[in-house]
Amino acid sequence: MPLTGQPSPPLTRRQLLTRSTGLAGVFAGAGVLSACGSGAPTTSGTDASPAITGAQINVAVATSERALIARYTATISAFAQLAPSLEPLMRQHEEHLAATGVEVPDPPAQTPPSDLSVAIAALRQAELTAALERRESCLLVSDPDFVRTLTFIAASEASHVAALKTVRQSQ
């Protein structure tokens, strides 16, 4: 999308969820999808559904972070030799979860792929998805402190993608 100097109009929930299947799964767990409008514009030209709230985004972030922690835990259990490389990344996700201040249940137990390279690639994909979700979340909130927190989390998760490329090469 070319930069025109004009801000993009805010995304409706339906547009956001259509663009990010992973985020839709997270929001579904938070009960947001039940409030989606039809997507048809109203007479004012805007979506009739209310905006996603900061609290709903915070729950979605907490749910995503809990899932990442579970994925790292399962991968470390399956590949103990990766613990020195993966535990620092997992601790950062624990810090991200703590920053939300939200308690969410653990996701169902996961079995990582049996191949080391595939397991690391799955972690990289999960980190990339999470970073993109945090970036999209930044566009939906108005509280500057919350945007800053989401930005730091997104940057951390994006740096994990690069760190995991190094882990794969060194193992």
Side-chain angles (χ1 to χ4, degrees):
M1 176 184 299
L3 298 175
T4 60
Q6 297 179 3
S8 301
L11 295 175
T12 65
R13 284 182 296 159
R14 183 160 309 281
Q15 290 168 328
L16 174 68
L17 296 174
T18 300
R19 291 182 186 182
S20 177
T21 304
L23 190 58
V26 172
F27 281 151
V32 175
L33 288 178
S34 62
C36 282
S38 67
T42 61
T43 55
S44 65
T46 61
D47 192 340
S49 353
I52 296 171
T53 67
Q56 290 168 319
I57 291 172
N58 203 23
V59 168
V61 171
T63 302
S64 176
E65 292 302 323
R66 179 67 73 192
L68 284 165
I69 293 166
R71 184 177 295 272
Y72 273 91
T73 300
T75 303
I76 291 168
S77 293
F79 302 100
Q81 71 270 29
L82 296 179
S85 298
L86 298 184
E87 285 176 346
L89 303 177
M90 185 174 71
R91 280 193 297 276
Q92 288 181 10
H93 289 294
E94 291 166 347
E95 292 171 6
H96 301 165
L97 177 60
T100 68
V102 177
E103 289 292 325
V104 293
D106 287 329
Q110 299 180 13
T111 303
S114 58
D115 179 78
L116 179 79
S117 295
V118 175
I120 294 171
L123 283 173
R124 279 194 357 248
Q125 183 59 50
E127 290 283 8
L128 179 60
T129 299
L132 293 172
E133 289 172 355
R134 296 302 77 75
R135 186 188 74 185
E136 292 295 322
S137 297
C138 288
L139 301 173
L140 299 172
V141 297
S142 58
D143 176 38
D145 290 331
F146 191 26
V147 171
R148 190 174 303 112
T149 298
L150 291 171
T151 302
F152 286 135
I153 292 172
S156 175
E157 290 166 346
S159 75
H160 293 176
V161 175
L164 288 165
K165 287 180 183 176
T166 303
V167 168
R168 180 170 185 227
Q169 294 170 2
S170 68
Q171 298 301 320

